[in-house]
C-alpha cells in the first residue's frame, strides 16, 4: 500500500544548519493493516505524512503510495487517500454540512449530498449539521475532520493524532470508529502519542525518531525486549522453589519476589503445565498464574531513550 | 483546469465573505458612496447656471471642445463630474484589497489550508479560484456602480447632448479596461502582503496603500497637472497590463504547493 525507499526530508533554515527531519526512511505498509507510526515530539511524523500525502516533496528517496509514484501524479495520490491533518482546520463561519460539502466537491464525490449525510450521521453530527463549526467543541471538530477525510471513501487513511485533546469518551468513540474502518478493509497509517491506543489498534508499529528505530508487531516488540514472563502467585514462598523451577527445561530464569515467582520462559503455552506440576509437587499453594505484560510504554521508552 | 474545483473555491470564498460583515460592508457601501458622491454634485450643480463663465474660461482646451453646443452651466457640471471618474477607480482597488487579506489570513488562522491542499485540486486551480473570488466582485461592483451612475446622470442632466458628452471614450476605457487591470494588480499585491502577515487588518491597510497613487492622480487632475485624456488612460492601461503580467508570472513561479503550505498555513 505504501512503500518508501530511503525517504529523506531536509529543511533549509535561515542562518542555521539544515535540519534533517526524516532520514532514509524505508518502510512497507501492507494493505488492510493499521500501521502505528510512533515517536517523540519533533521526530518527523507529520513531515513523513505530508510527504506521503504529496503535500511537500522529499529531498531524497522515493515512495509509492497506493500504487502511485511520489512526485509523478500528485493529484492521483491525493484523490486516493484520506488525511486527518494534525491541526484539522475548518471554515468556522460555515456550517458543518457546508464544510463537508465543499470538500465533497473538491474530491469529486459523485453524490455529495448522500455522502455528507452518511458521515454526519455516522459520527453523530447530523443534528448539528446547520450549526456554525466555530461553535463546535474540540471533539466535534475532530469528528467532523474525520468525516471530511472519508467523504471520497479512500482505502488509505493517514490519521495524525486523531485522539489528541479529546476526553476519554470522545477518544473511545474515535478509536471505535478507527476499528470500524479497519473492519471495512481500509489501510490506516496512524500517528499517536497514546501508546495504549497504539497497542490496541495497531497491527504493526514503527518506532521512529528522524530514523526508523524498529518496526514489528506490538507482541514481537515486547518479546524482543523483555522475552515472555509468567508470574506465579503463591500462598507462601518456599525455600529452594525458584531453583527447582529454574532447572526445568525451557525456563530461562526464575526469581522469587515476596510471595511471587517470576519466571522467564520461552513458550509459556507448552511449559506452564510442567512448571505448575513442579510447584504443586514441591508443596506450594498456587493461587494465580498470569503472564506479565509490559506496557507498550515500556517498550517505547526503552527504544527511544536508547536511540 | 477543472472548472468545478475553481467554482467550488469561488463559492466557498463568497460564502465566507458573506458572513464577514466588515468585508461585506466594504464591498457594498464603498461603491455606493463613490456613485452617490458625483451624483449629488451633479444634482446640486444643476441649480446654478450663471456665473460659471469664469470657470469655463479656465478649463483646459480639450474641455472647451467638449463643451461646444452646451450651456456654460452644463459644461461646468460635466467638468466637475468628470473629475470624479478617477474616484471610480478606487472601487476595483479597494475591494480586492479588502477581500484577499481576510481570505488568506483567514485560512492561516483557521488552519484550514492544509486539508484544502490535501485535496486533488491543483495549485493553479486554487489560486485561480482565490483570485477570481476577489477580482470579480471588484470588477462587477465597478461596473454596477458605473451603471447606477449613468442612470442617475441621465435623470439629472436635462440635456441628452451633455449626457453623451459625459461618457466619452476615457470613461469607457477607465471603467472597462483600467478597472479590471487595477483589480488584478491590487489583488496580487494583497496576496503578497497577506502571505507575510497574520493580521487581516494590517494586510488590508498595507494593500490599500495602492489607493494613494489613484488619489494622487485625482488631485493632479484637479489641480491641472495631469490631463486625464484618452491617451493617458490608454497609457495607464498599458502600464498596469505589464505590471499584471509580471506579477502573475512571479506568483506562478513563487507559489508552489509547499510554499503555500508553509507560508499561508
Ligand atoms: N516547514 C518546516 N520548516 C522547517 N522545519 C520544519 C518544518 N516542518 C517541520 N519542521 C521541523 O521538522 C522536525 C519534525 O517535525 P514534525 O512536525 O514532522 O514532527 P512530529 O513528529 O510530527 O512532532 P509532533 O509529535 O510534535 O507532532 C521538527 O524539528 C520541526 O521543527
Ligand atoms: Mg506531528
Amino acid at each position: 500500500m505504501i512503500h518508501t525507499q530511503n525517504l529523506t526530508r531536509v529543511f533549509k533554515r535561515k542562518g542555521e544548519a539544515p535540519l534533517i527531519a526524516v532520514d532514509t526512511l524505508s518502510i512497507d505498509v501492507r494493505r488492510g493493516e493499521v500501521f502505528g507510526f510512533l515517536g517523540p515530539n519533533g521526530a518527523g511524523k507529520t513531515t513523513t505524512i505530508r510527504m506521503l500525502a504529496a503535500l511537500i516533496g522529499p529531498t531524497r528517496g522515493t515512495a509509492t503510495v497506493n500504487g502511485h509514484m511520489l512526485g509523478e501524479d500528485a493529484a492521483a495520490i491525493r484523490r486516493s487517500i484520506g488525511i486527518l491533518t494534525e491541526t484539522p482546520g475548518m471554515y468556522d463561519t460555515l456550517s458543518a454540512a457546508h464544510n463537508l460539502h465543499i470538500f465533497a466537491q473538491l474530491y469529486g464525490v459523485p453524490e455529495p449530498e448522500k455522502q455528507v449525510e452518511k458521515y454526519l450521521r455516522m459520527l453523530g453530527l447530523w443534528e448539528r449539521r446547520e450549526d456554525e463549526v466555530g461553535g463546535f467543541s474540540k471533539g466535534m471538530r475532530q469528528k467532523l475532520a474525520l468525516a471530511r477525510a472519508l467523504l471520497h471513501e479512500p482505502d488509505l487513511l493517514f490519521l495524525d493524532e486523531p485522539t489528541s485533546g479529546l476526553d476519554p469518551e470522545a477518544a473511545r468513540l474515535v478509536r471505535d470508529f478507527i476499528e470500524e474502518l479497519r473492519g471495512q478493509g481500509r489501510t490506516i497509517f496512524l500517528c499517536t502519542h497514546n501508546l495504549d491506543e497504539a497497542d490496541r489498534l495497531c497491527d504493526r508499529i514503527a518506532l521512529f525518531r528522524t530514523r526508523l528505530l524498529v518496526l514489528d508487531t506490538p507482541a514481537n516488540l515486547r518479546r524482543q525486549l523483555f522475552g515472555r514472563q509468567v508470574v506465579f502467585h503463591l500462598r507462601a514462598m518456599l525455600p529452594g522453589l525458584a531453583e527447582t523451577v529454574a532447572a526445568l527445561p525451557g525456563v530461562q530464569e526464575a526469581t522469587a519476589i515476596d510471595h511471587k515467582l517470576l519466571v522467564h520462559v520461552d513458550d509459556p503455552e507448552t511449559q506452564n503445565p510442567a512448571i505448575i506440576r513442579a510447584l504443586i509437587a514441591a508443596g506450594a499453594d498456587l493461587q494465580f498464574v498470569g503472564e506479565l505484560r509490559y506496557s507498550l510504554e515500556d517498550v517505547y521508552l526503552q527504544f527511544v531513550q536508547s536511540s | 483546469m477543472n472548472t468545478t474545483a475553481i467554482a467550488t473555491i469561488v463559492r466557498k470564498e463568497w460564502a465566507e465573505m458573506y458572513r464577514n460583515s466588515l468585508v461585506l460592508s466594504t464591498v457594498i457601501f464603498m461603491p455606493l458612496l463613490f456613485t452617490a458622491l458625483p451624483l449629488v454634485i451633479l444634482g446640486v450643480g444643476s441649480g446654478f447656471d450663471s456665473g460659471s463663465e469664469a470657470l469655463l474660461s479656465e478649463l483646459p482646451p480639450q474641455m472647451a471642445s467638449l463643451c461646444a453646443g452646451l450651456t456654460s452651466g452644463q459644461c461646468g457640471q460635466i467638468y466637475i463630474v468628470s473629475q470624479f471618474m478617477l474616484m471610480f477607480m478606487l472601487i476595483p482597488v479597494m475591494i480586492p484589497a479588502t477581500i484577499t487579506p481576510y481570505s488568506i489570513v483567514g485560512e492561516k488562522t483557521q488552519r484550514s489550508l492544509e486539508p484544502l491542499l490535501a485535496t486533488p485540486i491543483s495549485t493553479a486551480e486554487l489560486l485561480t479560484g482565490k483570485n477570481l473570488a476577489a477580482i470579480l466582485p471588484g470588477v462587477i461592483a465597478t461596473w454596477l456602480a458605473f451603471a447606477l451612475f449613468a442612470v442617475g446622470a441621465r435623470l439629472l442632466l436635462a440635456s441628452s447632448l451633455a449626457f453623451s458628452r459625459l461618457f466619452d471614450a476615457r470613461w469607457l476605457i477607465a471603467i472597462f479596461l483600467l478597472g479590471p487591470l487595477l483589480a488584478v494588480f491590487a489583488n496580487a499585491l494583497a496576496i503578497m502582503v497577506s502571505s507575510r502577515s497574520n493580521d487581516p487588518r494590517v494586510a488590508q491597510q498595507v494593500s490599500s496603500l495602492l489607493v494613494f497613487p489613484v488619489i494622487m492622480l485625482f488631485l493632479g487632475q484637479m489641480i491641472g497637472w495631469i490631463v486625464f485624456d484618452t491617451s493617458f488612460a490608454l497609457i495607464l492601461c498599458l502600464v498596469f497590463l505589464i505590471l499584471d503580467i509580471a506579477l502573475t508570472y512571479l506568483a506562478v513561479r513563487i507559489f508552489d504547493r509547499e510554499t503555500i503550505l508553509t507560508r499561508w498555513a
Side-chain angles (χ1 to χ4, degrees), chain A residues 40-47 49 86 160-161 191 193:
Chain A
N41 291 126
K45 305 180 294 294
T46 301
T47 304
I49 289 192
E86 193 168 19
D160 200 347
E161 303 186 23
C191 284
H193 288 299

Side-chain angles (χ1 to χ4, degrees), chain A residues 280-296:
Chain A
I280 290 171
D285 281 344
L286 194 56
Q287 287 174 318
F288 307 101
V289 182
E291 181 162 5
L292 186 69
R293 256 177 79 89
Y294 280 91
S295 68
L296 193 64

Side-chain angles (χ1 to χ4, degrees), chain A residues 170-185:
Chain A
R172 173 67 174 271
L173 205 138
V174 168
R175 256 196 305 277
D176 290 347
F177 191 67
I178 295 174
E179 289 274 16
E180 200 176 319
L181 294 173
R182 187 235 303 265
Q184 296 164 359

Side-chain angles (χ1 to χ4, degrees), chain A residues 14-207:
Chain A
K14 279 204 187 91
E16 277 178 89
L19 177 104
I20 303 174
V22 177
D23 190 7
T24 56
L25 176 69
S26 300
I27 49 169
D28 266 300
V29 177
R30 300 172 191 150
R31 183 171 293 274
E33 78 175 332
V34 178
F35 186 90
F37 197 60
L38 315 186
N41 291 126
K45 305 180 294 294
T46 301
T47 304
T48 305
I49 289 192
R50 283 180 168 179
M51 282 194 280
L52 296 176
L55 280 164
I56 64 175
T59 312
R60 279 185 295 278
T62 55
T64 52
V65 178
N66 226 349
H68 305 285
M69 190 79 177
L70 216 64
E72 269 175 16
D73 191 353
I77 292 182
R78 289 192 211 109
R79 201 171 292 120
S80 72
I81 63 170
I83 176 170
L84 177 75
T85 54
E86 193 168 19
T87 41
M90 295 281 164
Y91 299 112
D92 287 344
T93 55
L94 307 183
S95 73
H98 195 158
N99 263 283
L100 292 191
H101 213 266
I102 290 168
F103 281 83
Q105 275 171 333
L106 289 177
Y107 277 108
V109 171
E111 287 179 292
E113 303 287 347
K114 247 178 78 180
Q115 279 302 91
V116 169
E117 177 171 352
K118 171 180 163 186
Y119 280 104
L120 280 175
R121 284 193 188 282
M122 200 179 274
L123 287 156
L125 291 170
W126 180 245
E127 305 300 323
R128 305 289 303 265
R129 65 187 178 279
E130 292 305 332
D131 295 357
E132 275 187 16
V133 177
F136 276 18
S137 74
K138 182 146 178 38
M140 291 161 74
R141 294 173 78 93
Q142 195 74 355
K143 283 191 264 178
L144 192 61
L146 259 177
R148 175 172 64 186
L150 286 161
L151 286 170
H152 56 299
E153 305 289 354
D155 40 351
L156 173 58
L157 263 176
F158 291 94
L159 305 178
D160 200 347
E161 303 186 23
T163 55
S164 92
L166 300 192
D167 68 39
E169 196 187 348
R172 173 67 174 271
L173 205 138
V174 168
R175 256 196 305 277
D176 290 347
F177 191 67
I178 295 174
E179 289 274 16
E180 200 176 319
L181 294 173
R182 187 235 303 265
Q184 296 164 359
R186 299 189 215 246
T187 311
I188 295 165
F189 189 98
L190 175 71
C191 284
T192 178
H193 288 299
N194 184 334
L195 297 167
D196 202 37
E197 169 177 301
D199 201 5
R200 265 186 272 179
L201 288 175
C202 297
D203 298 300
R204 289 191 308 152
I205 283 174
L207 294 183

